[in-house]
Amino acid sequence: MKFPKLSRLNLLLRKTPLAAGIAACGMTWAGVANSASDALTEKAESIIRSNCLACHSEQQAEPAQFSRISHQRKTPEGWLMTIARMQIMHGLQISNEDRRTLVKYLSDKQGLAPEETAGSRYAMERRLNTMESFDSAEFAEMCARCHSGARVALQRRPAGEWEHLVHFHLGQWPSLEYQALSRDREWFELALNNMVPALAKDYPLKSQSWQQWQQTDKPELGGSWSFAGQMPGKGDVHGQMQITSAGNDEYQVRITGQYADGSPLKGKGSAIVYTGYEWRANLTFEGVGQEKIKMRQVFAASKEGDQLTGRMFAAVHDEMGMDFSAVRQQSQPDLIAVQPAYIKAGTRQTITLVGNNLGTDVSLGEGVSVEKVVLRDANKLVLQVRAAKDSEPGARQVTVGQAGGASLTVYDRISSVKVVPEYSVARVGGNGGSTPKYNAHFQAEAWASGADGKPGTADDLRIGYVPAKWHVEPFDAQAKADNDVHFTGRMNASTGMFTTASAGPNPERRMSTNNAGNLKVVASVKDGGQKLTGDGQLIVTVQRWNNPPLP
């Protein structure tokens, strides 16, 4: 059997059109049995019979059942990783087109219901600095010490398949039992006797939510959409997204919008929907001059098909991205964002209300009044507003006619500043190598003291992200001695973006070590006559050699 000429899993995934947003084919799954097009179902099962039955077996069942394959449920990213592993480890020879067909078929037929992905979507959305926390210390030590716990939570298996996965881990990584958090315990015994039953209970193959989702009619997502987002370093953004159906769960997408600083957002591309609600898109945006920026969308559609929520991020630098919410125009009135979402008592400012079918009757809450309507169109309402000097600090629910769902925070002064994320990891790269740099993006989050008048307590009021000045310092004495501030990279003082240095040994450093380091990230915010600071930690480390769709 001929093996593909690839040395790392991430190279295979990056070079396939499917990996670039997992977007390239179509089918819809609904009902207890597979209701995808007969042609696609026949094609996918033919691919399995032609390429997989050397190791797997077909069972006598209707619809078709294949050993191991038919006894798991995963996200589109999970199925892509499975097929890529078959290529890397078992010499599977398969075309990009056939791989896309299989991912679509398996995601629709054996995917996860919306309720089953809740709480773990950060892995699909590439929120790389998420700090995971689990009720089970044993799960964290046995499963989440090598990869994210979300990778486990985003698949479903019966007990027998979870047991197979334990054996696979030990067979593939024979040194596993000698590594940290393994050599201090009977790892294999604990994995079989403790973890397999727990995983089968928490993440079973059969579930009521999946059964109900299979029977649910899946909506078409074509039409005009209003969207709002927030991009670190750029701030709020809003606009319109035009989605045109191409049939078979495929769509053409056009986006036009504007950032808070006035710069435009304009792009187009294609999308596909898996499992009836998993939106994946590849888009190309206009950059500076002739520059083109490739971005991906990982969204979840609501069951009614009138909302899309998730994250849009750069294809190469997936650490750079924005939270994204969209509502379909011509649906029921909806308000998805107030930009900016805060105002200081005793001041006036311009705010933008983003949504759909916004009426004329605007309520901004007690103490906040509308002075002038600046602009009104199909998806936004721009207002000049004023907050009375004696306004009580707190969040106000904003309504526009029958539309609601967003809030405006009134504050009297900023009491504290937090750096978000509080802890971040960036990676050196580039320098002619195959792995890119992974930079770090920070935001300054302003807070007001609550009723107790003390900052940093449980009743504090979150104001929102505010402009800041940024710099880095050595995190500790060792970082100072190693001159990490000089060697690890550069912080943009106005945007909060840290760009790492190049990879490889640096002869200017002690022992020619690389450009890794340990930094304190400091944000300085002015509010009236006071200056406040907040800080976080940034670890600059080596390249990310393996970059799978699920970290």
Side-chain angles (χ1 to χ4, degrees):
M1 187 173 291
K2 186 178 180 181
F3 286 79
K5 296 180 180 179
L6 292 167
S7 59
R8 292 194 299 272
L9 179 62
N10 65 310
L11 291 181
L12 174 61
L13 297 176
R14 287 177 180 223
K15 290 183 178 179
T16 64
L18 185 67
I22 323 285
C25 49
M27 173 177 83
T28 303
W29 177 266
V32 178
N34 184 9
S35 64
S37 68
D38 291 341
L40 191 78
T41 300
E42 182 178 353
K43 180 179 180 181
E45 293 177 357
S46 176
I47 294 170
I48 294 174
R49 292 186 178 102
S50 299
N51 295 274
C52 306
L53 295 191
C55 299
H56 299 266
S57 62
E58 183 171 3
Q59 302 167 349
Q60 297 300 315
E62 184 63 37
Q65 295 281 309
F66 303 94
S67 66
R68 304 297 308 278
I69 299 171
S70 299
H71 304 103
Q72 302 176 30
R73 292 194 286 118
K74 301 180 182 181
T75 62
E77 289 81 2
W79 283 118
L80 174 63
M81 290 172 66
T82 295
I83 297 170
R85 188 172 66 250
M86 297 300 106
Q87 293 181 264
I88 293 294
M89 297 182 179
H90 301 293
L92 171 66
Q93 297 288 312
I94 189 172
S95 68
N96 289 344
E97 179 184 355
D98 285 351
R99 181 171 47 244
R100 290 192 293 266
T101 299
L102 287 182
V103 171
K104 176 61 176 158
Y105 168 78
L106 291 168
S107 300
D108 289 349
K109 182 180 179 182
Q110 297 162 219
L112 300 183
E115 296 84 355
E116 293 177 313
T117 66
S120 299
R121 298 197 63 84
Y122 58 85
M124 294 185 285
E125 295 170 357
R126 308 299 293 176
R127 299 180 186 270
L128 301 178
N129 288 301
T130 300
M131 300 294 287
E132 294 188 316
S133 177
F134 306 103
D135 293 333
S136 169
E138 195 167 40
F139 175 84
E141 294 173 354
M142 296 289 288
C143 299
R145 66 185 179 91
C146 296
H147 51 68
S148 69
R151 187 192 292 194
V152 182
L154 290 174
Q155 55 182 296
R156 298 294 185 272
R157 302 168 183 251
E161 280 299 322
W162 285 117
E163 182 175 337
H164 283 316
L165 190 62
V166 171
H167 287 283
F168 164 78
H169 276 65
L170 198 56
Q172 188 63 41
W173 296 282
S175 64
L176 185 152
E177 292 184 289
Y178 300 98
Q179 299 171 5
L181 295 179
S182 281
R183 60 178 176 265
D184 62 337
R185 66 198 69 190
E186 295 292 339
W187 185 90
F188 188 62
E189 180 180 333
L190 289 172
L192 289 180
N193 297 335
N194 292 18
M195 294 312 303
V196 167
L199 293 172
K201 178 179 179 293
D202 294 339
Y203 310 117
L205 179 66
K206 297 181 180 180
S207 72
Q208 184 177 2
S209 58
W210 175 243
Q211 183 179 12
Q212 291 175 345
W213 180 247
Q214 286 181 294
Q215 297 171 344
T216 301
D217 291 334
K218 311 304 187 297
E220 279 286 327
L221 299 178
S224 297
W225 296 69
S226 300
F227 75 86
Q230 205 280 336
M231 170 79 85
K234 293 286 287 183
D236 295 329
V237 62
H238 61 265
Q240 291 182 294
M241 182 165 64
Q242 188 67 39
I243 301 176
T244 303
S245 175
N248 296 325
D249 286 352
E250 295 182 9
Y251 298 90
Q252 295 298 313
V253 184
R254 287 184 176 272
I255 284 183
T256 55
Q258 186 178 46
Y259 288 100
D261 63 4
S263 58
L265 177 71
K266 186 176 182 181
K268 62 182 179 179
S270 60
I272 182 173
V273 175
Y274 297 94
T275 330
Y277 71 100
E278 291 285 8
W279 172 279
R280 304 292 186 269
N282 294 328
L283 304 174
T284 301
F285 286 87
E286 297 180 3
V288 179
Q290 299 299 314
E291 178 189 11
K292 299 294 183 181
I293 302 173
K294 302 287 186 180
M295 299 196 76
R296 303 175 186 172
Q297 292 177 334
V298 177
F299 300 157
S302 63
K303 293 183 179 181
E304 298 76 17
D306 56 1
Q307 296 182 351
L308 287 167
T309 56
R311 186 168 180 261
M312 184 165 73
F313 52 88
V316 175
H317 289 280
D318 51 12
E319 76 278 10
M320 181 179 73
M322 68 173 72
D323 292 330
F324 194 103
S325 298
V327 292
R328 191 200 300 265
Q329 294 179 8
Q330 310 307 323
S331 61
Q332 65 180 11
D334 203 351
L335 178 65
I336 57 174
V338 178
Q339 298 178 337
Y342 54 82
I343 184 172
K344 188 173 185 177
T347 67
R348 64 163 52 91
Q349 70 181 35
T350 299
I351 65 172
T352 301
L353 309 182
V354 184
N356 171 60
N357 287 339
L358 301 180
T360 57
D361 185 15
V362 179
S363 173
L364 301 175
E366 185 177 356
V368 185
S369 58
V370 177
E371 292 188 335
K372 182 173 66 174
V373 176
V374 179
L375 176 67
R376 176 191 297 275
D377 64 22
N379 72 322
K380 68 178 180 291
L381 183 60
V382 182
L383 307 171
Q384 180 177 297
V385 304
R386 182 175 182 84
K389 189 173 183 179
D390 59 353
S391 295
E392 186 73 19
R396 272 75 164 160
Q397 292 301 309
V398 177
T399 60
V400 187
Q402 297 180 345
S407 63
L408 177 68
T409 297
V410 178
Y411 71 100
D412 53 0
R413 67 184 183 90
I414 298 175
S415 299
S416 62
V417 173
K418 296 181 181 179
V419 170
V420 178
E422 183 180 3
Y423 177 86
S424 183
V425 175
R427 296 177 181 273
V428 297
N431 199 25
S434 61
T435 57
K437 297 180 179 182
Y438 281 86
N439 301 314
H441 300 258
F442 296 93
Q443 293 177 283
E445 188 177 64
W447 290 73
S449 297
D452 64 4
K454 300 178 180 179
T457 57
D459 68 344
D460 281 5
L461 173 68
R462 182 185 184 276
I463 298 170
Y465 295 124
V466 296
K469 292 297 183 182
W470 297 89
H471 72 276
V472 294
E473 302 173 359
F475 186 80
D476 53 23
Q478 186 62 56
K480 183 177 181 180
D482 291 340
N483 202 6
D484 286 350
V485 170
H486 175 72
F487 288 112
T488 53
R490 295 292 178 267
M491 171 63 80
N492 186 303
S494 59
T495 66
M497 175 180 171
F498 184 88
T499 302
T500 64
S502 297
N506 186 344
E508 296 183 18
R509 300 203 75 173
R510 184 170 61 91
M511 299 178 66
S512 293
T513 187
N514 59 28
N515 289 315
N518 190 2
L519 303 175
K520 179 189 291 185
V521 177
V522 182
S524 301
V525 173
K526 289 185 177 180
D527 180 40
Q530 66 172 341
K531 178 181 178 181
L532 303 100
T533 62
D535 60 71
Q537 184 179 7
L538 171 62
I539 298 293
V540 180
T541 187
V542 297
Q543 299 96 310
R544 186 194 299 164
W545 296 112
N546 191 354
N547 186 28
L550 294 177

